[in-house]
């Protein structure tokens, strides 16, 4: 059957094409993609082309489908998997397969980077055997698709929390996770991933008793406060405090005073900014753990670290990139149960036709996650611009955007199942 997909041929050479998929083998599965969220990693792939470490083919001869944050429906099951999966099941995929190469070592191949017939920015795909063999084809039980496309970024947050560690005097055992009932500082944490971290911090099974969130942008802080409230946190036994550190000449002392004059058990840094990392280091208490969550593009990026405190105060530092399959399963489970609702990450929505330009220009487009409905033809549009697009009647879609704006306004300016259902019913097909 035919599919439409965005494939990469080289540096910033992304093409939306229609081509024939082969018949699936007994150990493969045919699937329909409904939604994909565009990741900054795909932008980096576009910038690097064949130099990217996950590329396995000569792209000029075997282009690969991009996109790795996708959710959809299983359409046809190869005979090998009929006892485990059934047609009509909704699914998400853990893209970090770690599938063994010919030497038995984990390879870097991943959907969205390394395969001709599987990637998120497509209408239909063929899921290869290694996805199932590695346990990376994951059931998705929620009543929407967009949160399935957020499961991978949420799993990165889950993995970061699990990667924190602490020690005890006289023991060489690393006790994993944040300190339960302890203190947690989330620095520069009101961007898309930071908001997800706040959501997880106040709703996860293991929680700190005090969470302090910082930024220097009043508008973003106010939005975060309205979406993830102190009242909601209190219901879950968490004291949640938002602070604009720009307002204080000595923000470290102020933040410690909010924590009873003490340093913090766990500190996360969500931007690759030297001063913020150094503030995080200064905020650590005895046996404190600093997680550098932000991924810098500068290979020589560095910051100062107090090694006196590393030696005498048992300070630790970790860095995480992505989550594992267990983290993905936890994310899907918490979302399906309504305990996590990372919808506030989504700020833009578009169709498959918008993927090439959006991916290439992603670092220049403000806001949070860009959600793509792969069987639809729509320009990329910010949710906050829907009403204006309705008035402008762009591409003859005035009534469509007017109604979509009204739906989002009823949902606190956020994307929702109601909005998704309306789009899937009324948006033009690709």
């Amino acid at each position: 059957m035919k599919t439409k997909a965005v494939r990469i041929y080289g540096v910033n050479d992304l093409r939306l094409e229609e081509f024939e998929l082969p018949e699936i083998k007994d150990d493969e599965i045919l699937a329909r993609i409904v939604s994909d969220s565009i990741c900054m990693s795909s932008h980096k792939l576009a910038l690097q082309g064949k130099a990217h470490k996950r590329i396995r083919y000569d792209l000029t001869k075997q282009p690969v489908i991009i996109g790795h944050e996708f959710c959809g429906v299983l359409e046809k099951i190869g005979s090998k998997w009929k006892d485990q999966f059934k047609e009509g099941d909704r699914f998400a995929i853990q893209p970090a397969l770690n599938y063994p190469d010919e030497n038995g070592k984990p390879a870097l191949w991943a959907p969205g980077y390394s395969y001709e017939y599987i990637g998120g920015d497509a209408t239909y795909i063929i899921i290869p055997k290694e996805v199932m063999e590695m346990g990376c084809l994951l059931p998705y039980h929620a009543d929407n698709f967009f949160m399935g496309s957020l499961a991978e970024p949420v799993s990165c947050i889950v993995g970061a929390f699990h990667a924190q560690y602490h020690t005890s005097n006289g023991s060489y055992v690393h006790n994993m996770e944040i300190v339960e009932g302890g203190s947690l500082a989330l620095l520069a944490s009101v961007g898309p991933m930071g908001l997800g971290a706040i959501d997880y911090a106040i709703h996860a099974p293991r929680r700190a008793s005090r969470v302090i969130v910082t930024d220097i942008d009043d508008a973003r802080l106010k939005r975060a406060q309205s979406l993830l409230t102190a009242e909601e946190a209190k219901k879950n036994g968490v004291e949640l405090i938002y602070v604009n550190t720009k307002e204080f000449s000595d923000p470290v002392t102020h933040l410690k005073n909010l924590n009873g004059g003490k340093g913090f058990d766990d500190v996360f840094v969500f931007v690759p900014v030297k001063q913020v990392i150094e503030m995080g280091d200064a905020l650590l208490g005895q046996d404190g753990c600093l997680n550098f969550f932000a991924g810098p593009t500068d290979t020589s990026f560095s910051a100062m670290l107090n090694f006196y405190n590393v030696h005498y105060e048992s300070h630790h530092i970790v860095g995480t990139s992505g989550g594992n399959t267990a983290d993905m399963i936890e994310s899907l489970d918490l979302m399906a149960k309504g305990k996590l609702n990372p919808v506030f990450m989504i700020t833009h929505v578009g169709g498959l036709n918008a993927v090439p330009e959006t991916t290439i220009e992603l670092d220049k487009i403000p806001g949070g996650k860009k959600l793509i409905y792969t069987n639809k033809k729509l320009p990329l549009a910010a949710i906050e611009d829907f009403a204006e697009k309705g008035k402008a009647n762009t591409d003859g879609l005035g009534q469509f955007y007017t109604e979509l704006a009204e739906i989002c306004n009823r949902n606190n300016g956020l994307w929702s199942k109601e909005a998704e259902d309306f789009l899937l019913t009324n948006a033009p097909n690709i």
Side-chain angles (χ1 to χ4, degrees), residues 162-424:
H162 291 332
Q164 293 293 98
Y165 73 96
H166 300 275
T167 59
S168 301
N169 287 336
S171 171
Y172 300 114
V173 175
H174 288 182
N175 301 305
M176 305 305 295
E177 311 271 354
I178 65 168
V179 173
E180 190 164 19
S183 54
L184 168 64
L186 303 175
L187 307 185
S189 182
V190 291
M193 296 300 282
L195 288 172
I198 302 168
D199 189 21
Y200 187 73
I202 65 177
H203 293 115
R206 184 184 184 95
R207 297 184 291 271
S209 62
R210 177 179 293 122
V211 176
I212 294 181
V213 176
T214 77
D215 204 80
I216 58 173
D217 187 310
D218 270 333
R220 299 202 325 164
L221 278 165
K222 287 178 181 177
R223 180 173 185 264
Q225 284 177 289
S226 69
L227 295 172
L228 295 155
T229 67
E231 292 74 20
E232 172 64 18
K234 189 175 181 179
K235 293 177 187 176
N236 293 279
V238 178
E239 179 188 12
L240 177 61
I241 304 171
Y242 290 92
V243 178
N244 187 331
T245 51
K246 190 169 62 175
E247 297 175 357
F248 302 93
S249 59
D250 185 358
V252 170
T253 297
H254 177 73
L255 294 174
K256 284 185 175 181
N257 286 339
L258 291 174
N259 193 39
K262 301 181 297 182
F264 289 79
D265 298 306
D266 296 280
V267 177
F268 284 68
V269 176
F270 282 84
V271 291
V273 176
K274 179 177 183 291
Q275 294 88 339
V276 181
I277 295 171
E278 292 173 357
M279 181 169 71
D281 177 40
L283 286 170
L284 290 174
Q286 172 71 35
D287 192 47
C289 188
L290 173 68
N291 189 304
F292 180 49
F293 188 90
T297 55
D298 180 0
T299 56
S300 61
F301 178 78
S302 60
M304 296 294 291
L305 189 69
N306 186 324
F307 278 89
Y308 179 92
N309 289 334
V310 170
H311 187 84
Y312 289 105
E313 297 294 322
S314 297
H315 287 183
H316 324 300
I317 186 166
V318 299
T320 51
S321 178
N324 62 25
T325 302
D327 300 326
M328 186 93 165
I329 292 171
E330 180 180 345
S331 303
L332 290 166
D333 180 61
L334 290 172
M335 289 189 293
K337 291 177 178 175
K339 293 184 178 181
L340 292 183
N341 184 24
V343 65
F344 40 74
M345 289 183 175
I346 301 167
T347 58
H348 294 67
V349 178
L352 188 62
N353 54 296
V355 169
E357 182 179 0
T358 301
T359 303
I360 292 169
E361 300 295 328
L362 191 58
D363 61 329
K364 302 179 183 68
I365 304 173
K369 299 296 289 185
K370 282 65 181 177
L371 180 67
I372 299 298
Y373 286 95
T374 60
N375 281 268
K376 298 299 178 178
K377 183 179 181 181
L378 289 169
L380 184 76
I383 293 173
E384 63 183 12
D385 294 338
F386 285 172
E388 286 301 316
K389 289 183 73 66
K391 293 175 183 177
N393 196 28
T394 306
D395 298 324
L397 293 171
Q399 186 62 32
F400 170 80
Y401 279 113
T402 296
E403 292 188 42
L404 201 54
E406 292 171 355
I407 293 170
C408 292
N409 287 339
R410 289 199 295 270
N411 289 277
N412 197 25
L414 300 174
W415 198 243
S416 63
K417 171 175 165 50
E418 184 184 5
E420 178 176 84
D421 289 346
F422 177 82
L423 182 147
L424 291 174

Side-chain angles (χ1 to χ4, degrees), residues 18-69:
E18 183 176 57
F19 55 94
E20 196 77 28
L21 289 176
E23 283 292 323
I24 65 167
K25 300 172 185 175
D26 290 343
D27 57 1
E28 296 177 332
I29 294 176
L30 176 71
R32 172 170 56 93
I33 303 298
V34 177
S35 63
D36 180 65
S37 175
I38 299 179
C39 179
M40 186 59 72
S41 296
S42 294
H43 169 71
K44 294 173 183 176
L45 169 65
L47 290 181
Q48 292 180 293
K50 66 180 182 181
H52 194 281
K53 61 184 180 181
R54 294 190 184 274
I55 292 295
R56 66 195 293 197
Y57 301 127
D58 179 348
L59 293 175
T60 61
K61 298 177 181 177
Q62 290 178 279
V64 299
I65 301 174
I66 68 168
H68 59 275
E69 298 178 356

